Amino acid sequence: MNAKIDLPGHAQYPHLFSPLDLGHTQLRNRCIMGSMHTGLEELPDGFERMAAFYAERAAGDVGMIITGGISPNEEGGMAITDEQGNPLASASKLNTQEEAAGHRMVTDAVHEAAPDCKICLQILHMGALAYNEGAVAPSPVRSRIGAFSPAELDEEGIEKQIADHAYCATLAKQSGYDGVEIIGSAGYLLSTFLVEKTNQRTDQWGGSYENRMRFSVEVIRRVREAVGKDFIVIFRIAAMDMLEGGMSWEEIALLAKAVEQAGASMISTHFVWHEAQVPTIATMVPRRAFTGVTKRVRGEVSVPVITSNRINMPDVAEAVLADGDADLVSMARPMLADAELVKKAAEGRTEEINTCIACNQACLDHAFAGKTTSCLVNPRACHETVLNWGPTEQPKNIAVVGAGPAGLAYATVAAERGHAVTLYDAADEIGGQFNLAKQVPGKEEFHETIRYYRAMMTKYQVTMCLGQRVDAQALVDAGFDHVVVATGISPRAPDISGIDHDKVVGYIDAIRGNKPIGEKVAVIGAGGIGFDVTELITHQGKSSALDIELFAKEWGVDFDNHPRGGVTGVEPVVNKADREVWLMQRKDTPVGRGLGKTTGWTKRILLNRRGVNMVNAVEYVRIDDSGLHVLIGGQPKTFEVDTVIICAGQVPERGLYDDLMIKGVSADLIGGAFEAVELDAKTAINQATHLAAAV
Ligand code: FAD
Ligand code: NAP
Ligand code: SF4
């Protein structure tokens, strides 16, 4: 490898910063921004917003950008309609000259921001997963997660799909893209040709594996023919699809070689079909868990191979490359969290990187809900044209009370803008409730957010007053121009007879280990905190988020032998909890339904496997020496537990704000102190950032 060494990070991360020669062109480093659907694609001003979004990442030194998936035709994408059901012009398709002109805005912005940054269009034909009544597939097999039954393609239809891929790539080239990535994984069109479950054809496109591979190979061959030699063509392969009866290792290796032969200039490894039941990007997945699989693919081909999934910091990327697992590292969500990740690494400012904590709360959960993507730790992501700030013209002397996510986000932005900020917290450390969250096994990444804010407090010279519980008079006496109250919440004490009984423990004490927890436990409240506390008290040994082998055992993945799909015939090894736990709620909906769409299922599966009893439609009656007495469906029942942990939500902690109002002090109220119901860190940081941008 031949790294530049004119910046401190170049010497620290020599593999990451070595350029890659592709023959007709060069990548400036080994870091790629992976493809993500941003939701900007469908907005009326989507091209302007995408241009700003991608240009910031290009200016942040990433080597190459892969756009969100764009369909090569109507049937491969989302059918987007207005409220009356009329089809809307959609930027998430590229098969007309008019759409190509829109894409030119994006490529020009990126190349202007950084002439040596490459940008490739991802061609995504969703096949059976298209949210579209006209969905097509090799066979009429509806996916477990698909909205429609796809129509079977006939010979003419197959030719059309291949031709549409080639035409889309031609238009991409005309629009100024440096290449295309074609997605051949995840349960989308190309991958459904590959496996027997979704390809039941008996013609030249089905049956033998050679026939099932034909569609992917033909797409690559025809795309290469259409775009010529000097254009990047990446094939995204399912290197381990996590499906029972999925692809075998031999089939994957054959496909990798065949697409290389057909003209792919790079292969990008993808893990999982969307319908599989193994988490691959959630925060409970260890960093770089899948790069060993990429290494195997790399051994089969001579083109550069890209790896991905849970690589969120430059030291992780450097280690992956140094170990020879891949030629390039793709980071997608980390580029939402910090547009300047690569630049900061190059300049030796790793401490200043705002790390993706893999929560999915503002990215994937938004995408699945049809909302514009953003990022919990960086609300500017995908909002580059609408959320901005610069130096203030009227610097103020501001006190921020509370160093949880809300107070920290406010202090960062206000101090960056030139206000003099003093930050108070009653605790001896910053972080607020994130200091509890980080103790939950599988949530270790929350340490990174606290580390980032610590670096921001130093960088922007915020005056730190930790270990100080301030009151209104002290703030008045200090003579601040403005006070921001970010004092968070108090846990709700539900009105249940016996709530003061010795066996009742609050969630803060349970997490901090301040009080003993018995062998039989009732957890009252099954929201995010109820699930986290249950995880903590049923977990044994090391956190599997920190150990790839443990993670593989827990989820039934065999990385060593790579059976079909990586999972066929592999049983998860479950550490049954030593204690018996009942996790309960009053609602009659399934327990855990309110958790995040893309992560909630992982938590439900894990706790179910550990033997946690989930109970809904509970009416709490009394807590006494014999346990927790409830009514279920009107019938009395006693849970003979020795501990009852209360996770029943929270109420705002706003006494300080009320006192400031009485004294006529200029003040804002933010975060949990403003509104505790459904308040999470995403809302807290977003609200604080908007207010600080305007103060
Ligand atoms: P807090 O984080 O509560 O911070 C308030 C701070 O104010 C505290 O540090 C307190 O010491 C200080 N303070 C209060 N009064 C005073 C005073 N008078 N003087 C000085 N200091 C004072 N959210 C998510 O989005 N995703 C998650 O995965 C997630 N997991 C969680 C897991 C757990 C176990 C817990 C407990 C919470 C979790 N949350 C999660 C919720 C998230 O942490 C909160 O929404 C967020 O911390 C609220 O931020 P905040 O700044 O408003 O308040
Ligand atoms: P929450 O999600 O609102 O859950 C509160 C739970 O308490 C619910 O199960 C509710 O269910 C129950 N409850 C409410 N009032 C009650 C009462 N008076 N008596 C008994 N039970 C009552 O709040 P949380 O769990 O405290 O979490 C706080 C915030 O942090 C939330 O916004 C949450 O999203 C966020 N968080 C997120 C994650 C994550 O992984 N994304 C993890 C932790 C926390 P019933 O009303 O049905 O009983
Ligand atoms: Fe990462 Fe969470 Fe931000 Fe998504 S919302 S990019 S997972 S930190």
Side-chain angles (χ1 to χ4, degrees), residues 440-460:
V440 176
K443 284 192 141 170
E444 293 80 1
E445 293 287 0
F446 283 60
H447 281 277
E448 295 285 7
T449 305
I450 299 172
R451 182 267 308 145
Y452 162 75
Y453 279 126
R454 201 176 294 122
M456 291 302 102
M457 297 304 102
T458 306
K459 179 171 176 145
Y460 297 122

Side-chain angles (χ1 to χ4, degrees), residues 361 376 401-407 424-427 431-434 436-437 440 443 446 468-470 486-489 507 511 529 532 653 656 670-673 679-682 684:
Q361 285 176 240
L376 179 143
V401 185
Y424 293 92
D425 202 293
Q433 293 176 65
F434 265 32
L436 298 171
V440 176
K443 284 192 141 170
F446 283 60
Q468 289 188 37
R469 178 171 291 278
V470 277
T487 45
I489 50 80
Y507 69 78
I511 295 173
I529 293 178
D532 277 354
E653 185 62 67
L656 175 64
I670 61 172
L679 186 277
D680 58 11
K682 177 183 79 174

Side-chain angles (χ1 to χ4, degrees), residues 566-632:
V567 295
T568 307
V570 189
E571 283 302 315
V573 179
V574 181
N575 246 344
K576 280 264 178 202
D578 275 350
R579 43 172 66 103
E580 199 168 359
V581 179
W582 289 267
L583 174 57
M584 40 186 89
Q585 67 180 26
R586 297 172 304 176
K587 288 185 282 292
D588 61 5
T589 50
V591 173
R593 176 168 278 181
L595 299 177
K597 173 139 181 127
T598 60
T599 50
W601 61 273
T602 60
K603 299 180 184 187
R604 288 192 295 268
I605 289 179
L606 265 192
L607 295 189
N608 270 318
R609 284 187 190 150
R610 284 195 201 146
V612 171
N613 308 287
M614 313 237 176
V615 196
N616 62 2
V618 175
E619 199 180 318
Y620 306 110
V621 177
R622 187 174 76 252
I623 302 164
D624 61 21
D625 289 347
S626 52
L628 171 65
H629 304 270
V630 302
L631 294 174
I632 299 179

